[in-house]
Amino acid sequence: MKHTYHIHGMTCNGCRNHVEKTLKTVDGVTSAAVDLEKMEATIEMNRHIEINTFQRALEKERGNYSIHLPGEHLHHSKKDDKMKPKGKGTGTFYCPMHCEGDKTHDKAGDCPVCGMDLVEEQSLKTSSVGGKWTCPMHPEVVKDEPGSCPICGMDLVPMEPDLSAEEKTYRKLLKKFWIAVAFTLPIFLIAMSEMVPNNPLYKLFGQKYWNWAQFILSIPVVFYATWMFFERAYRSIKTWNLNMFTLIGIGAGVAWIFSIVGMFLPDVFPEQFKTEHGTVHVYFEAATVILTLVLLGQLLEARAHSKTNSAVKELLKLAPNKAVKVVDGDEFEVSIDAIEIGDILKVKPGDKIPVDGAITEGYGTIDESMITGEPIPVNKTEGDKVSSGTINGNQSFLMQAEKVGSDTLLSQIITMVNDASRSRAPIQKLADTVSAYFVPIVVLIAVVTFVVWAIWGPEPAYVYALVNAIAVLIIACPCALGLATPMSVMVGVGKGAQNGVLIKNAEALEKMDKVDTLIVDKTGTITEGKPTVEKVGSFSQDLNENDILEMIVALNSNSEHPLAEATVVYGKEKGAKAKKAEQFIAVTGKGVEGTVNGKLLALGNPKLMEYANAVVSDSMKMEAKEYQQQGKTVSYLSADGKVVGYVVIGDKIKKTSAKAIKELQNKGVAVIMLTGDNHETAKAVANELNLADFKASMLPEDKLREVERLQSDGKVVAMAGDGINDAPALAKSDVGIAMGTGTDVAIESAAITLVKGDLHGIVKARNLSDAVMKNIRQNLFFALIYNTLGVPVAAGVLYPAFGILLSPMIAALAMSFSSVSVIANALRLKQIKI
């Protein structure tokens, strides 16, 4: 029998191999082939097997995979719907080396591929525990305000968040480490006493009994403090996901088991393994010191890991727990979770803004540095937008909630940082390729080392062979290689978020370093994106300027374009009568059409006039040209195929645009401006910015074709834009950069989002990318050099010339600190200036 099933939850080849091997172990299965791209498994069986049997097998192997019949609707499992544990994290865990891509786990543990401790993602979802009250006798009672327990009457106490998963892991490792040290230190002293002339310990007991003492003291170290290393080693061999713990398990395990056999069956060993007292050399001190030092490395890594995502933790601290809600003039303090869209909130001086919204009454000076990276406070008045987590200055104001919970900018930033931190950079493929062959090669080198020393080594040859083979297994560190890229990416993405540069994935961070051509849109990117109407003119004797304005306002009331909003605001200021437009159509890159009072109106650029069969005369063009040469935008209005008026709209160039463009050009990046505006307006803006390369009257498809043309010429293209018309080019470019002030479509299409929305953010993104890629290359170089030099030295290549051998204990120390040093180097990115 042969059936095809859908597999849910696979993200990488490691997942595919794991699922395939698991399905093959099910009784009755003759063969199983898993296709990662199609997310399908084709299973051959000698009898019918229920799908639940396969599901149980997948769950038994600790994988978050599910199997379904083709076309079956995927429901969330009960496991997915469970409440996440309370704490500072989300209850979502991932591997710091990203062995499984962006796959996550719903409980703490270790990675099924590399064996490392899983790291908990940080999020706003559970950060609002503060501000709640609970009963010390009945913890199930949780209230939003102080009072008494409804069950026992005791006063409620402030509810403290639970320890985060990473803190629990650290404390557990710390406890095990001190236990390991307490038992390893005596073993080490007993073993080293053999080097003391007339060993005083032998006057108390013979060496045989001291060997037994070492054995008894080693049991808590092996079977409690570091037993997890052997579990991980066994699981890695069982699933054939060979990793660092495979080598540690084999190396330390061989030393410990060899010592046991030597104690119980000394006669099976040749004389060269024995001491002058007739006992076999034991290596309990080597095994326990190796395991304790590896545990120390894991402890230091756990502490260092907690610092790599410190940027997210700092962002989490911005989220307030309480807000002041105003209802019919009365003020109430409410939990942040109780705020709904449309609520009126009061923000007092010095308070954090609770949710995203707009000021409805009053004004304030807002410190947005924690989100935009810009230190200068921003003045906000009625109608202006404010963001959650930013800090109010010295005035009180009322605001209306517009986005709450996971929809706020702060929450979206945290989500984006978490997602980007888990993504894999293309440069990581090098580490993945090396890691795939690393462990088998190291084991082979250890075997060769043993054989060479056993045949050609000095006496006792077998002792030298065993010790050097163990040193080779212990010193090799695939984790340093695996951590090289993700640690730098995590710290770099967090650094970007603190400076208003949001990276969607690690690939964008890597590609930004290679960008040699930047395409920028004009409106909202180079300019403020806050256009104002400077003049409304009429070309018709039958219509005055107010008539033209009313037609323009009627059409643009249905449009979301910044230019349209400017005309509507101007119309209200001038008291223009509101008329209704019917059959409204937005013609992308050209303008808008609609019917007002039975007349077919069209408002837009010359291309729209052609589309509407309305002729723009030379005199009209000359009148428009005067404004266009000043950098203004002129839109024509036609009625029933005849051009009847125009509107002149100005949009100031951002103060940072000229400086940012110059800095990018100094870095060797060619800057090209593409705009849908006319040639004269584009030329005026380009001249002011010293831009030699620009193209005007560009439709969305023209911008897309220009990106494709540059890419075909071998250019690495970044595109910066803010509108719907920029979305195709943003998606096609090597790195799409969206202005945070732009449309959702543009932001969704981009790989990098600039919160503040000016070109200086692109300079920050480029500097960040350069720093992160340099850091990654340093990490990879260190990891490769460490292993390239460390393994041969441990094998004894320096012994013939210099008489130098590496103790397995020194090898364990070096291996532990190699991973820690990679993380420490990545943490240096926190100090860079971008």
Side-chain angles (χ1 to χ4, degrees), residues 484-498:
T485 300
M487 289 298 101
S488 299
V489 168
M490 181 180 288
V491 179
V493 165
K495 182 72 177 179
Q498 290 176 321

Side-chain angles (χ1 to χ4, degrees), residues 88-391:
K88 295 177 184 174
T90 59
T92 299
F93 300 83
Y94 64 94
C95 173
M97 284 176 46
H98 309 327
C99 302
E100 304 175 286
D102 58 1
K103 180 181 173 182
T104 58
H105 301 259
D106 58 6
K107 61 182 178 180
D110 44 71
C111 172
V113 178
C114 72
M116 292 190 72
D117 285 317
L118 298 176
V119 177
E120 187 175 26
E121 183 181 85
Q122 303 294 308
S123 170
L124 278 173
K125 291 178 184 176
T126 53
S127 67
S128 57
V129 174
K132 293 186 181 292
W133 300 73
T134 186
C135 174
M137 294 285 290
H138 301 92
E140 69 274 14
V141 175
V142 179
K143 299 287 185 181
D144 288 332
E145 54 192 28
S148 58
C149 174
I151 299 173
C152 66
M154 286 186 68
D155 286 332
L156 299 179
V157 296
M159 187 174 175
E160 294 295 327
D162 295 341
L163 289 173
S164 65
E166 65 186 19
E167 185 62 26
K168 288 178 182 176
T169 299
Y170 176 77
R171 293 191 180 188
K172 184 172 72 174
L173 287 173
L174 186 62
K175 176 186 173 185
K176 287 186 173 184
F177 173 71
W178 287 121
I179 289 172
V181 167
F183 286 96
T184 298
L185 194 57
I187 297 172
F188 182 74
L189 293 174
I190 292 169
M192 291 301 104
S193 70
E194 294 178 19
M195 301 172 69
V196 179
N198 300 318
N199 189 343
L201 293 182
Y202 290 165
K203 294 177 182 177
L204 298 173
F205 303 106
Q207 187 176 23
K208 178 180 178 181
Y209 296 103
W210 285 115
N211 287 350
W212 275 95
Q214 290 184 61
F215 165 61
I216 293 168
L217 288 168
S218 72
I219 289 174
V221 179
V222 173
F223 289 98
Y224 173 70
T226 62
W227 181 244
M228 59 186 172
F229 298 154
F230 294 101
E231 288 180 325
R232 295 173 183 181
Y234 169 73
R235 195 158 52 242
S236 72
I237 294 169
K238 182 182 174 185
T239 60
W240 209 242
N241 291 315
L242 304 181
N243 53 50
M244 176 182 83
F245 297 102
T246 316
L247 301 175
I248 293 166
I250 295 172
V254 165
W256 195 78
I257 291 169
F258 172 89
S259 303
I260 297 290
V261 176
M263 282 176 52
F264 287 97
L265 302 168
D267 295 335
V268 303
F269 291 95
E271 286 301 315
Q272 59 178 291
F273 276 102
K274 296 180 180 178
T275 67
E276 58 187 21
H277 301 286
T279 59
V280 175
H281 281 288
V282 294
Y283 296 97
F284 290 118
E285 92 286 353
T288 53
V289 169
I290 286 168
L291 292 169
T292 302
L293 287 173
V294 173
L295 187 57
L296 172 63
Q298 294 289 293
L299 185 69
L300 293 174
E301 275 187 42
R303 180 50 83 218
H305 275 309
S306 70
K307 294 180 181 177
T308 57
N309 60 1
S310 61
V312 174
K313 293 175 184 174
E314 291 301 316
L315 289 170
L316 285 172
K317 291 177 184 176
L318 301 177
N321 297 313
K322 295 282 187 181
V324 177
K325 184 176 177 179
V326 179
V327 181
D328 297 329
D330 295 326
E331 298 178 7
F332 303 92
E333 190 175 78
V334 296
S335 165
I336 201 80
D337 299 325
I339 299 173
E340 296 180 355
I341 294 173
D343 284 353
I344 300 298
L345 309 171
K346 184 173 185 178
V347 183
K348 298 177 181 178
D351 280 0
K352 291 176 181 175
I353 292 167
V355 294
D356 291 2
I359 296 176
T360 56
E361 185 181 315
Y363 63 95
T365 304
I366 312 297
D367 178 4
E368 298 181 332
S369 59
M370 62 291 298
I371 288 180
T372 65
E374 299 298 329
I376 302 171
V378 182
N379 294 322
K380 302 273 186 176
T381 58
E382 289 184 20
D384 286 342
K385 305 290 184 184
V386 289
S387 298
S388 170
T390 55
I391 301 171

Side-chain angles (χ1 to χ4, degrees), residues 526-798:
I526 289 176
T527 64
E528 293 280 359
K530 297 177 181 177
T532 54
V533 175
E534 299 193 1
K535 180 176 173 60
V536 173
S538 174
F539 292 131
S540 171
Q541 294 180 348
D542 301 327
L543 299 169
N544 59 31
E545 290 180 2
N546 192 59
D547 296 330
I548 299 295
L549 179 58
E550 287 181 356
M551 291 180 184
I552 291 172
V553 170
L555 269 182
N556 278 340
S557 294
N558 298 292
S559 176
E560 294 180 353
H561 195 283
L563 300 183
E565 290 180 18
T567 60
V568 173
V569 170
Y570 182 77
K572 287 179 180 177
E573 290 173 356
K574 295 293 183 181
K577 293 178 182 177
K579 296 181 179 179
K580 188 178 179 182
E582 298 175 339
Q583 299 175 334
F584 174 84
I585 300 171
V587 184
T588 307
K590 296 178 181 178
V592 293
E593 279 191 327
T595 303
V596 177
N597 291 342
K599 288 184 177 181
L600 180 59
L601 303 182
L603 176 67
N605 57 26
K607 287 188 177 180
L608 184 68
M609 295 302 102
E610 289 178 24
Y611 180 76
N613 294 319
V615 179
V616 181
S617 67
D618 291 340
S619 61
M620 294 175 181
K621 290 178 183 177
M622 288 299 294
E623 191 168 339
K625 191 174 181 178
E626 290 179 27
Y627 298 106
Q628 291 167 345
Q629 287 174 338
Q630 299 170 35
K632 315 293 184 187
T633 299
V634 177
S635 293
Y636 297 102
L637 175 71
S638 71
D640 293 332
K642 182 182 179 183
V643 179
V644 294
Y646 65 94
V647 57
V648 179
I649 298 173
D651 191 2
K652 291 180 182 177
I653 293 174
K654 292 175 184 174
K655 294 177 182 178
T656 55
S657 293
K659 183 182 176 184
I661 288 171
K662 187 175 181 180
E663 284 187 43
L664 289 165
Q665 289 170 334
N666 291 341
K667 289 178 179 290
V669 179
V671 183
I672 303 169
M673 182 179 74
L674 303 183
T675 177
D677 221 326
N678 66 86
H679 181 81
E680 295 299 331
T681 302
K683 184 179 179 181
V685 172
N687 289 341
E688 190 170 339
L689 295 172
N690 294 319
L691 270 178
D693 205 348
F694 70 92
K695 292 189 177 182
S697 304
M698 299 288 282
L699 297 174
E701 54 267 32
D702 296 327
K703 292 181 181 180
L704 178 62
R705 278 195 290 268
E706 184 65 14
V707 171
E708 291 172 338
R709 183 188 69 78
L710 289 165
Q711 288 174 330
S712 66
D713 290 342
K715 304 291 185 184
V716 181
V717 182
M719 165 78 188
D722 71 330
I724 293 172
N725 60 332
D726 298 319
L730 284 170
K732 180 64 180 175
S733 63
D734 296 288
V735 181
I737 303 171
M739 302 293 134
T741 49
T743 62
D744 292 341
V745 176
I747 292 171
E748 187 64 32
S749 302
I752 296 176
T753 300
L754 308 177
V755 174
K756 196 174 179 214
D758 67 39
L759 290 180
H760 186 61
I762 301 177
V763 178
K764 290 182 183 179
R766 176 62 179 234
N767 290 341
L768 178 67
S769 176
D770 291 347
V772 169
M773 293 312 300
K774 182 180 178 182
N775 193 269
I776 288 173
R777 293 185 191 104
Q778 290 169 348
N779 282 345
L780 288 172
F781 177 79
F782 170 79
L784 289 168
I785 287 296
Y786 164 81
N787 284 294
T788 304
L789 297 180
V791 171
V793 170
V797 295
L798 298 180

Side-chain angles (χ1 to χ4, degrees), residues 493-505:
V493 165
K495 182 72 177 179
Q498 290 176 321
N499 286 271
V501 179
L502 306 182
I503 313 290
K504 187 176 283 187
N505 54 53

